């Protein structure tokens, strides 16, 4: 069931209030029984359309299984920190087209590393009631110590005195990614899964595939 009625999108002020209310539903511990397939999620917004892709891979061998896309009109303005209201409807539509429900989603974006602890990955997880991880290319909130150069090096991302994520080095010689809990996954597990999924490049393979598919989706 959608978090807000599809008859009309909320105003930005209402959206911030909704995030504050919905974050009470977020589960920050592992609540999944198996991990056999993982979906990468990415959204491309072009003009007035949001194009979402979910690419599902077997786990842990990362063989591509399925990819679903959906394109919907954007009904919410661009406001930093409120991207879920622009992107999640298209993600939900793509999710509904999958033949197999992934055991977990890795979302290109923030989870709890967000001013109101409700980034797009958290929004996706709660909306779809599926374990979700945020894996972002840039830091939205918080500070961290320098991250070591070796693959797997990490540093806690702290905001408001709370650990909201980790800065994680997935490859030597490339910038870290920012991993945070989305829903039904703890932070240590989230970091382990992102690292395991980034076998050759900075980003996990499911997100890379979803980015390509979202860019090409019609």
């Amino acid at each position: 069931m959608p978090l807000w009625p599809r008859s009309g999108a909320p105003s930005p002020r209402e959206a911030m209030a909704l995030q504050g209310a919905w974050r009470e539903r977020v589960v920050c511990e592992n609540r999944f029984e198996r991990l056999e397939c993982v979906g990468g999620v990415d959204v491309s917004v072009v003009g007035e359309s949001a194009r979402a892709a979910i690419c599902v891979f077997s786990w842990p061998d990362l063989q591509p299984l399925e990819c679903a896309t959906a394109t919907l009109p954007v009904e919410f303005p661009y406001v930093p920190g409120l991207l879920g209201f622009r992107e999640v409807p298209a993600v939900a539509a793509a999710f509904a087209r999958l033949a197999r429900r992934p055991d977990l989603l890795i979302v290109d974006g923030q989870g709890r590393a967000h001013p109101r602890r409700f980034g797009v990955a958290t929004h996706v997880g709660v909306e779809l009631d599926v374990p979700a991880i945020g894996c972002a290319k840039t830091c939205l909130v918080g500070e961290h110590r320098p991250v070591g150069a070796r693959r797997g090096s990490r540093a806690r991302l702290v905001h408001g005195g709370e650990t909201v994520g980790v800065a994680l080095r997935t490859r030597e010689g490339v910038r870290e990614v920012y991993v945070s809990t989305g829903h039904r996954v703890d932070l240590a597990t989230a970091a382990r899964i992102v690292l395991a999924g980034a076998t050759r490049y900075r980003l996990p393979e499911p997100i890379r595939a979803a980015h390509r598919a979202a860019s090409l989706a019609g």
Side-chain angles (χ1 to χ4, degrees):
M1 181 176 180
L3 292 176
W4 87 89
R6 291 292 186 253
S7 58
S11 69
R13 179 172 293 185
E14 291 170 335
M16 291 181 190
L18 288 170
Q19 286 180 329
W22 293 340
R23 72 184 176 203
E24 300 303 318
R25 308 185 189 186
V26 177
V27 175
C28 295
E29 59 186 44
N30 292 336
R31 294 283 182 86
F32 56 92
E33 296 181 357
R34 64 183 186 183
L35 192 58
E36 297 177 354
C37 61
V38 171
V41 181
D42 197 12
V43 181
S44 174
V45 178
V46 178
E48 299 302 315
S49 296
R51 304 184 294 190
I54 304 176
C55 293
V56 182
F57 284 66
S58 60
W59 191 268
D61 55 336
L62 291 173
Q63 296 301 306
L65 300 176
E66 180 182 3
C67 190
T69 63
T71 302
L72 293 181
V74 172
E75 298 181 353
F76 194 87
Y78 174 78
V79 180
L82 297 177
L83 296 184
F85 292 90
R86 287 167 64 84
E87 299 180 357
V88 171
V91 174
F95 190 81
R97 294 178 178 177
L98 290 171
R100 175 174 178 171
R101 181 186 175 101
D103 299 317
L104 180 144
L105 296 175
I106 307 175
V107 182
D108 187 344
Q110 310 289 347
R112 295 192 71 252
H114 178 275
R116 289 170 294 281
R117 307 295 185 259
F118 203 85
V120 63
T122 309
H123 198 145
V124 167
V126 173
E127 173 92 7
L128 301 177
D129 189 27
V130 63
I133 294 168
C135 179
K137 296 181 286 292
T138 59
C139 181
L140 178 62
V141 297
E143 297 179 345
H144 61 86
R145 296 179 182 274
V147 180
R150 287 189 174 185
R151 168 178 161 84
S153 298
R154 65 197 69 188
R156 293 189 306 131
L157 182 63
V158 179
H159 179 249
E162 179 184 3
T163 297
V164 295
V166 294
L168 175 67
R169 186 87 63 199
T170 54
R171 280 183 61 82
E172 293 186 24
V174 299
R175 291 181 294 116
E176 60 268 23
V177 297
Y178 295 89
V179 180
S180 54
T181 291
H183 183 50
R184 293 172 54 187
V185 184
D186 67 34
L187 184 56
T189 302
R192 176 177 58 80
I193 290 172
V194 167
L195 185 63
T199 56
R200 296 183 295 169
Y201 300 97
R202 181 188 179 207
L203 294 174
E205 291 300 318
I207 286 184
R208 284 171 45 80
H211 177 72
R212 292 192 296 268
S215 298
L216 297 172

